[in-house]
Amino acid sequence: MALKKILIILVLALLSAKTSFAQLPIIEKNVDTGKVFSLEDLQLMVFRYHPVIKQAQLLSESARAKVLQSLGYFDPELKAGFSKKLFGGTEYYNKWNSELKIPLWLAGADLKLGYDRNAGTYLNPENRTGQQGLSAIGLSIPLGQGLIIDARRSTLRQSKIMVEYAEADQLKQINAVWYGIVKDYWNWYYAHKQYKLINEGLDLAQRRFKALSAQTLIGDKPGIDSVEAYITVQERIIQKEKTAIELQNARLVLSNHLWNDQGSPLELPTEAMPQHIDQKIVRPTPLLLDTLLGVASNQHPELLKLKSKGEQLAIEKSYRQELLKPKLNVIGNLISNRTGLNSSVPGYYDFNWSNYKFGIELAFPLFLRSERGKLREVKIKQQELDYDIKQFGREIRNNVIASYNDVSAYSAQLAVQTKSIENQQILVNGENQKFTLGESTLFLINSRETKLIDMKIKQESMVAGYQKALAELYYKAGTREMN
């Protein structure tokens, strides 16, 4: 009798503290769609405002800037020079030389337009032009080294290929950033669902404790059941506090990816909820695997980068082979006394095949050790690149298949877990009925109910794991699943 009185006093004391239980947050059953923060909403914000995404987009802009620099080798160049010497009342010389050089893409030639006016008492006779000066138009053509490809064409072609390389690298970085963000989203999803399930379990424990306490006071239930019910409430309060911290941390991690259009960081509101996921997840089809394998083999950023590098090395090889040829430059100019299009000059002083300047330049290193060494180096790099393409291609294919297997395993496990939860719910309902009839104990009810909650939490963990595995599948294939 003394023990019974002590238990009744304990129950009354616990009931007097019921206001503290009422203050515990209970997750609403109905979902407010206005507070749902879906993966699609996250995707829109990330691809518009995330600084790392914007930074990655600068890679292709930088590569295009280098193309513009390379085009500078084909910019027309205007040169002019003037010198004069006057001493003792005598004009020794008066020289004016000007030239417009226009680099041409074809054959590495240069088109030249010039005007020279050289006069004076002590001027070299071969440079004398008379008072009107001489105009010239001509070409400088490399017939040996530089005819097929030269330094400026090689640089321009390689810089254009580097745009493709930069775009592939940009895609790789964006995919990596998005993959990390998706994992953080589904971690937040799991933390939110876990917190919700623990709170629902706490709500059930509180209501059971109140009901048993009332039955204890009227003598229908023993006081020890109320103590055991309260212990369950305390255990779930501890779980709630633990999951609340996990949810807060997951929310903070996801907030790292939220920015507004002014570039200011944003915080995910505490009332925000993740999107709803149907627990009946369909197993991926082999068609998806075949599609992603095809995407990986043709469009994977890493392979695109290697292929661009291969194209760049091919141009470099062609240029190095060109340097093995002797330099043979032919320079020809037609000259005239004409100083303007409308000026009139005698025919024998105008542009014709009898008035010209002509020259040939020849140079050839005897051993070509530098050129042959650089060519050999390029060939070795090409061999290394071929091995890399083969190895990366195999690794990418196997990684895609492995990720597909993970997704398939998660979908199969989820199907089993859903059935297990349905069966466990039947056990919990049956145990409650037996307890009402006095044929069961509170310990068994709490045990089965705790296991049901744990199974639901595990199910949400599988859902989050499935979604992360699906994101990894697309990431391994070199793309991303657009929501």
Side-chain angles (χ1 to χ4, degrees):
M1 292 296 295
L3 178 60
K4 185 175 181 179
K5 290 180 179 180
I6 292 174
L7 293 175
I8 293 175
I9 293 173
L10 178 60
V11 170
L12 291 174
L14 295 176
L15 286 175
S16 64
K18 64 182 180 179
T19 54
S20 62
F21 299 134
Q23 295 172 354
L24 294 175
I26 303 298
I27 303 298
E28 294 293 335
K29 300 288 185 179
N30 297 324
V31 176
D32 185 359
T33 56
K35 297 180 181 178
V36 172
F37 184 62
S38 66
L39 190 61
E40 182 179 0
D41 298 330
L42 177 63
Q43 178 180 289
L44 290 174
M45 294 186 66
V46 165
F47 282 89
R48 286 182 181 176
Y49 309 126
H50 198 289
V52 178
I53 299 293
K54 291 182 177 180
Q55 184 183 40
Q57 292 171 347
L58 295 177
L59 291 174
S60 59
E61 294 298 324
S62 177
R64 290 186 177 89
K66 292 182 179 178
V67 173
L68 183 61
Q69 294 177 33
S70 301
L71 287 171
Y73 293 117
F74 294 89
D75 288 345
E77 182 181 14
L78 179 63
K79 296 189 299 183
F82 173 76
S83 62
K84 180 178 181 180
K85 182 178 178 180
L86 185 66
F87 182 71
T90 301
E91 185 180 55
Y92 278 61
Y93 57 81
N94 188 322
K95 300 178 183 179
W96 169 265
N97 306 106
S98 58
E99 180 185 72
L100 174 63
K101 184 175 72 172
I102 304 174
L104 303 178
W105 178 269
L106 182 64
D110 293 328
L111 174 64
K112 296 181 179 181
L113 303 174
Y115 174 75
D116 298 335
R117 182 182 180 277
N118 302 321
T121 304
Y122 297 103
L123 190 71
N124 191 330
E126 71 177 21
N127 296 327
R128 195 181 303 275
T129 63
Q131 294 298 321
Q132 288 184 333
L134 290 178
S135 300
I137 180 170
L139 288 173
S140 174
I141 303 176
L143 297 181
Q145 183 183 121
L147 178 64
I148 305 301
I149 186 171
D150 55 9
R152 63 193 182 192
R153 283 180 286 174
S154 172
T155 303
L156 179 58
R157 288 174 180 175
Q158 291 189 45
S159 62
K160 288 182 177 180
I161 291 175
M162 287 306 295
V163 173
E164 301 175 4
Y165 183 94
E167 289 176 348
D169 195 27
Q170 169 187 320
L171 180 60
K172 176 185 174 181
Q173 292 191 24
I174 291 176
N175 287 347
V177 171
W178 177 242
Y179 173 53
I181 293 173
V182 169
K183 289 196 296 183
D184 290 340
Y185 179 87
W186 293 115
N187 287 336
W188 170 61
Y189 167 90
Y190 170 67
H192 184 276
K193 293 297 183 179
Q194 179 182 232
Y195 180 77
K196 177 181 177 181
L197 289 170
I198 292 297
N199 272 273
E200 290 176 351
L202 176 60
D203 183 33
L204 290 174
Q206 288 174 345
R207 288 191 276 115
R208 183 179 297 112
F209 167 71
K210 292 177 182 179
L212 287 173
S213 299
Q215 290 178 321
T216 300
L217 290 176
I218 62 176
D220 285 349
K221 295 292 183 182
I224 194 67
D225 284 349
S226 297
V227 175
E228 185 173 349
Y230 184 61
I231 291 174
T232 303
V233 171
Q234 290 176 315
E235 290 176 347
R236 293 181 182 175
I237 288 175
I238 294 173
Q239 289 180 308
K240 168 196 167 291
E241 296 298 333
K242 177 176 177 293
T243 55
I245 295 298
E246 293 176 356
L247 175 59
Q248 183 180 2
N249 291 339
R251 188 186 299 116
L252 287 174
V253 171
L254 187 59
S255 297
N256 289 335
H257 311 298
L258 302 181
W259 301 80
N260 62 14
D261 53 350
Q262 281 82 35
S264 301
L266 301 176
E267 295 292 335
L268 185 65
T270 55
E271 65 272 12
M273 294 180 293
Q275 67 186 51
H276 174 72
I277 297 295
D278 188 1
Q279 305 294 340
K280 296 180 180 180
I281 294 177
V282 180
R283 188 168 185 169
T285 63
L287 179 60
L288 175 63
L289 176 61
D290 293 339
T291 301
L292 291 179
L293 286 175
V295 170
S297 62
N298 297 319
Q299 303 177 17
H300 196 284
E302 198 63 46
L303 293 179
L304 291 178
K305 287 172 61 179
L306 293 175
K307 291 176 181 178
S308 298
K309 190 67 176 178
E311 294 176 6
Q312 186 182 22
L313 287 175
I315 295 175
E316 183 69 16
K317 178 184 176 183
S318 177
Y319 173 60
R320 294 301 171 184
Q321 288 174 333
E322 188 73 7
L323 293 181
L324 298 178
K325 299 178 181 179
K327 293 181 180 178
L328 179 60
N329 298 328
V330 177
I331 303 171
N333 294 279
L334 297 178
I335 55 179
S336 169
N337 270 342
R338 183 184 295 274
T339 58
L341 295 177
N342 297 324
S343 59
S344 177
V345 296
Y348 50 85
Y349 284 150
D350 203 358
F351 290 114
N352 58 62
W353 295 111
S354 299
N355 299 324
Y356 64 86
K357 291 192 296 184
F358 179 77
I360 296 177
E361 298 176 348
L362 176 64
F364 184 66
L366 295 181
F367 298 109
L368 295 171
R369 285 180 289 195
S370 176
E371 288 75 11
R372 287 189 289 113
K374 291 179 180 178
L375 177 59
R376 184 180 302 174
E377 182 183 3
V378 172
K379 290 180 178 179
I380 292 173
K381 289 182 178 179
Q382 285 182 316
Q383 290 178 348
E384 293 175 344
L385 186 64
D386 290 338
Y387 295 140
D388 286 340
I389 290 176
K390 290 179 181 179
Q391 183 62 29
F392 274 105
R394 182 174 179 82
E395 290 179 0
I396 289 171
R397 176 180 176 82
N398 289 340
N399 287 337
V400 171
I401 294 175
S403 297
Y404 175 82
N405 293 338
D406 289 340
V407 174
S408 299
Y410 269 114
S411 61
Q413 292 170 13
L414 270 168
V416 175
Q417 187 71 8
T418 301
K419 292 294 183 181
S420 298
I421 289 174
E422 293 175 358
N423 294 331
Q424 185 66 23
Q425 185 67 60
I426 294 174
L427 290 178
V428 171
N429 294 340
E431 207 66 47
N432 277 316
Q433 293 176 358
K434 290 170 64 178
F435 181 75
T436 303
L437 299 174
E439 297 177 358
S440 182
T441 63
L442 184 61
F443 173 80
L444 287 175
I445 292 178
N446 288 335
S447 176
R448 295 193 185 281
E449 187 177 85
T450 300
K451 185 175 181 181
L452 178 61
I453 294 173
D454 291 341
M455 292 174 68
K456 288 183 177 181
I457 292 175
K458 185 177 180 180
Q459 183 186 42
E460 296 298 347
S461 175
M462 288 180 178
V463 171
Y466 171 87
Q467 296 296 339
K468 287 189 284 187
L470 188 62
E472 182 181 23
L473 172 61
Y474 280 87
Y475 173 68
K476 295 296 184 181
T479 183
R480 59 184 181 272
E481 183 184 13
M482 304 301 289
N483 291 278

